[in-house]
Amino acid sequence: MAIRFVTGNEGKVREAREYLSGIEPVEQIEYDYTEIQSDSLSEIAAHGAREAFRESGSEQPVLVDDAGLFVDALGGFPGPYSAYVEDTVGVERLWRLARDEDNRRARFKTVLAYVDATGTETFEGSVAGTLVAPRGEGGFGYDPIFEYNGQTMAEMSTEEKNAISHRGRALAEFAEWFADHEA
């Protein structure tokens, strides 16, 4: 039985397939679930996964992720509102908001929510870094202003970024749980 990853992002599906290789096949499905407003990535992802599972009419499990950038000096903002802030305010303006702060520590977080007929489980991954002036041509979203070990995510190759990715860390936690859960 395949795990259905609810996303329109093929890159997320590739990453999930890498982590779950040999454990369970991953199938991409697109479903526009209701994204509730919450300060909790776990609540958002779990709600979306439960809705997608219920509406699919299938017993196959689903996986949904939600992610955000949490800036310490801004009280965790933009957090779960990261996509909205990127679309409306923009990455450069968020940088300008944080650049004069003494503490520019930030964290990318991902929460994966897994739903099957027995219930809901969530798994979190994060990576800590520092906000810096935009650099680099790769990546997407906040990657140009998020520095990890001297490089922004936008300066890293896909392989370098995936090796330290918040989503990858959540997927690793999920893969370990799933292997034990299914055994």
Side-chain angles (χ1 to χ4, degrees):
M1 184 179 286
I3 296 172
R4 295 169 303 149
F5 196 167
V6 182
T7 181
N9 185 325
E10 182 60 39
K12 290 180 182 182
V13 176
R14 272 193 305 275
E15 195 172 1
R17 286 178 178 147
E18 286 177 29
Y19 280 92
L20 295 169
S21 176
I23 299 172
E24 195 74 17
V26 176
E27 170 187 313
Q28 179 179 1
I29 64 168
E30 292 191 41
Y31 172 73
D32 192 16
Y33 57 86
T34 305
E35 188 168 315
I36 62 168
Q37 295 301 301
S38 173
D39 290 334
S40 167
L41 293 176
S42 292
E43 286 179 14
I44 296 166
H47 182 274
R50 284 191 295 268
E51 180 183 315
F53 181 76
R54 185 177 58 250
E55 293 298 318
S56 73
S58 169
E59 290 299 308
Q60 287 185 291
V62 299
L63 193 62
V64 167
D65 83 330
D66 199 43
L69 174 68
F70 294 76
V71 180
D72 288 1
L74 303 179
F77 180 81
Y81 311 104
S82 294
Y84 178 75
V85 169
E86 179 186 351
D87 290 344
T88 58
V89 173
V91 173
E92 297 250 353
R93 286 181 69 194
L94 181 66
W95 160 244
R96 289 196 306 268
L97 187 61
R99 73 178 167 204
D100 293 330
E101 298 292 337
D102 292 333
N103 171 7
R104 292 196 319 263
R105 287 187 308 245
R107 180 173 301 279
F108 273 126
K109 291 183 190 177
T110 291
V111 171
L112 293 170
Y114 171 83
V115 174
D116 64 14
T118 65
T120 306
E121 297 287 336
T122 59
F123 307 87
E124 183 175 310
S126 66
V127 61
T130 305
L131 293 189
V132 297
R135 298 192 321 253
E137 300 299 320
F140 61 93
Y142 297 100
D143 289 355
I145 65 169
F146 188 85
E147 184 181 74
Y148 177 84
N149 281 350
Q151 272 187 300
T152 67
M153 296 283 221
E155 294 173 314
M156 295 178 186
S157 68
T158 301
E159 294 76 24
E160 290 171 317
K161 186 177 163 185
N162 286 349
I164 55 112
S165 121
H166 46 101
R167 184 170 297 99
R169 291 174 182 189
L171 282 164
E173 185 180 310
F174 168 69
E176 184 178 325
W177 173 85
F178 190 82
D180 290 344
H181 178 71
E182 294 298 307

